[in-house]
Amino acid sequence: MKHFINIKDISSKDLRKILTDAKKRKQKRLKLSTLQPDKDIPLKGKLLIQMFEKSSLRTRLSFYLAIKQLGGGTITLRSNELHLGEGGESLEDTAKILSSYGDGFMLRTDSNEKLDNFKKYLTIPIINGLSPCSHPTQVLSDVFTVEEIKKKPISKLNITWIGDSNNVLNSLIAASVKFSFKLSIGCPKKYRPKKFILDWVKSQNKKINIFHDVKKAAMNADVIFSDKVISINDKVNKINKINHFKKFKVSEKLMSYAKKNCVFLHCLPRGSEVDDIVFRSKNSKVWLQAINRVHVQKSILLYCFGKLR
Ligand code: CP
Ligand code: NVA
């Protein structure tokens, strides 16, 4: 049994194995319809319990399809409908119940501490479906999408992030270390990645490039990523923060500094950080990016259940 909480805690070898498996499985089910299971039904009879403390469309649907296609099933819980916290039931008791009813637990939460506590008390694997610190399932799937589009290892590409130093970027930074790709970040000075993250990169003898001049960050990029300036439940002065990001918008002009075939990616939902014309352009691959979550999460589930071949 393995957990999937942060990319930085998983070996490069295992991350690569997940992507290789996802590629094979995706190819093998080209002719199967949405709910038809993969031929080997490796998770037959298994139940994934999903719990969302924050809104979600893609993560919810993609885990639903992922476990179904592997032969298992899922139930989705909303934390405010359980006894957890409000009804006086301890997290430890909830974790014990989840562990005896289900085979895996996917949690989207506003609390890094809650994720750690569930990990402590669960006897089944836990998957982080977005936390304040990271969004690992999204980013591993994004690495898959980049390699699928560019038809080469991500280590040979220049990846750029324009935007906030948030959970998605933290996972992208971890991925840049694990997969050894060049990562350039364009963000306002006030919104640089946190020191402990930069210290971790240094401790791995790796480097990322941070620019406060957005053009420099975009220069020569093979892929430009962005994400909302205001994340879900972001407790900041929104007007003030959006003002700080005025110059950090992905426009056609900005894309013109990148390589000619530069791809635009965005995990969605989107805000004003990308111009509509870029979002809808032929270089934008956001819909492929979204559906690939299903394929990669299947292999993440297999990794967690000890069934990755
Ligand atoms: N990208 C992503 O995680 O989307 P949802 O918030 O809709 O799950
Ligand atoms: N950074 C965004 C990602 C949404 C999928 C958020 O946390 O809201």
Side-chain angles (χ1 to χ4, degrees):
M1 168 187 110
K2 285 182 175 130
H3 302 296
F4 193 88
I5 298 183
N6 284 309
I7 286 182
K8 75 175 180 47
D9 300 325
I10 303 170
S11 72
S12 302
K13 194 173 159 215
D14 282 344
L15 292 167
R16 178 51 71 190
K17 257 175 102 175
I18 293 172
L19 295 187
T20 305
D21 184 72
K23 190 173 173 185
K24 279 192 211 143
R25 284 191 178 272
K26 182 176 178 180
Q27 274 162 1
K28 273 194 189 156
R29 60 172 296 117
L30 288 177
K31 288 191 183 138
L32 297 183
S33 55
T34 314
L35 280 178
Q36 256 179 301
D38 288 3
K39 286 219 173 73
D40 55 343
I41 43 171
L43 297 189
K44 187 173 175 208
K46 300 287 184 195
L47 174 65
L48 174 72
I49 302 174
Q50 302 197 61
M51 187 163 97
F52 291 90
E53 298 189 323
K54 302 166 90 167
S55 12
S56 167
L57 172 66
R58 285 144 286 265
T59 306
R60 182 191 310 260
L61 283 175
S62 52
F63 270 108
Y64 176 86
L65 287 183
I67 186 86
K68 283 277 186 188
Q69 291 181 2
L70 294 169
T74 180
I75 182 166
T76 298
L77 309 174
R78 292 198 70 93
S79 50
N80 61 357
E81 292 167 356
L82 314 176
H83 300 284
L84 183 61
E86 282 169 17
E89 181 168 284
S90 70
L91 187 144
E92 181 178 355
D93 290 356
T94 301
K96 290 218 163 95
I97 297 297
L98 294 173
S99 303
S100 55
Y101 277 66
D103 301 290
F105 183 50
M106 200 287 317
L107 176 66
R108 171 169 287 199
T109 178
D110 246 342
S111 157
N112 297 315
E113 200 191 345
K114 196 174 275 177
L115 203 56
D116 287 343
N117 283 333
F118 267 117
K119 181 185 163 197
K120 185 167 156 198
Y121 295 118
L122 285 166
T123 54
I124 55 175
I126 182 167
I127 299 173
N128 174 5
L130 185 146
S131 66
C133 243
S134 61
H135 195 2
T137 63
Q138 174 73 54
V139 166
L140 190 57
S141 170
D142 293 347
V143 172
F144 179 90
T145 302
V146 166
E147 295 191 339
E148 183 179 72
I149 297 168
K150 294 289 183 185
K151 297 185 174 46
K152 52 172 92 154
I154 196 166
S155 56
K156 298 203 177 341
L157 299 167
N158 298 335
I159 308 295
T160 288
W161 172 273
I162 305 290
D164 192 19
S165 293
N166 62 14
N167 43 8
V168 181
L169 176 60
N170 291 345
S171 292
L172 191 65
I173 292 173
S176 80
V177 169
K178 296 287 172 174
F179 289 99
S180 292
F181 60 81
K182 188 176 158 215
L183 179 62
S184 301
I185 298 167
C187 64
K189 266 200 187 117
K190 188 172 182 293
Y191 294 94
R192 286 164 61 84
K194 296 242 165 27
K195 186 176 175 300
F196 78 92
I197 291 170
L198 300 178
D199 286 347
W200 175 76
V201 173
K202 240 193 214 162
S203 76
Q204 304 298 303
N205 294 322
K206 295 274 168 36
K207 195 178 145 230
I208 51 175
N209 311 297
I210 302 176
F211 299 98
H212 306 303
D213 173 346
V214 71
K215 274 182 267 171
K216 286 189 182 156
M219 209 75 84
N220 254 326
D222 291 289
V223 180
I224 293 186
F225 279 93
S226 191
D227 186 15
K228 279 173 85 161
V229 171
I230 310 290
S231 281
I232 327 169
N233 299 358
D234 204 352
K235 288 176 190 62
V236 288
N237 179 329
K238 293 185 180 146
I239 299 175
N240 201 359
K241 190 170 178 189
I242 286 171
N243 267 335
H244 270 106
F245 277 88
K246 258 191 188 146
K247 290 189 187 148
F248 295 84
K249 202 174 182 148
V250 185
S251 59
E252 276 190 305
K253 176 103 183 117
L254 189 70
M255 291 296 285
S256 75
Y257 295 109
K259 286 192 187 160
K260 191 163 166 276
N261 294 324
C262 177
V263 164
F264 174 74
L265 293 177
H266 192 302
C267 65
L268 296 169
R270 65 178 156 138
S272 55
E273 64 285 345
V274 52
D275 282 344
D276 209 52
I277 194 154
V278 174
F279 186 81
R280 294 179 191 282
S281 68
K282 72 171 186 358
N283 286 10
S284 166
K285 303 291 178 199
V286 295
W287 311 122
L288 175 68
Q289 180 185 10
I291 196 67
N292 274 342
R293 300 274 312 273
V294 177
H295 301 291
V296 176
Q297 278 156 203
K298 284 165 72 177
S299 306
I300 291 174
L301 285 168
L302 291 173
Y303 163 78
C304 289
F305 283 85
K307 296 256 183 174
L308 200 62
R309 280 167 298 157

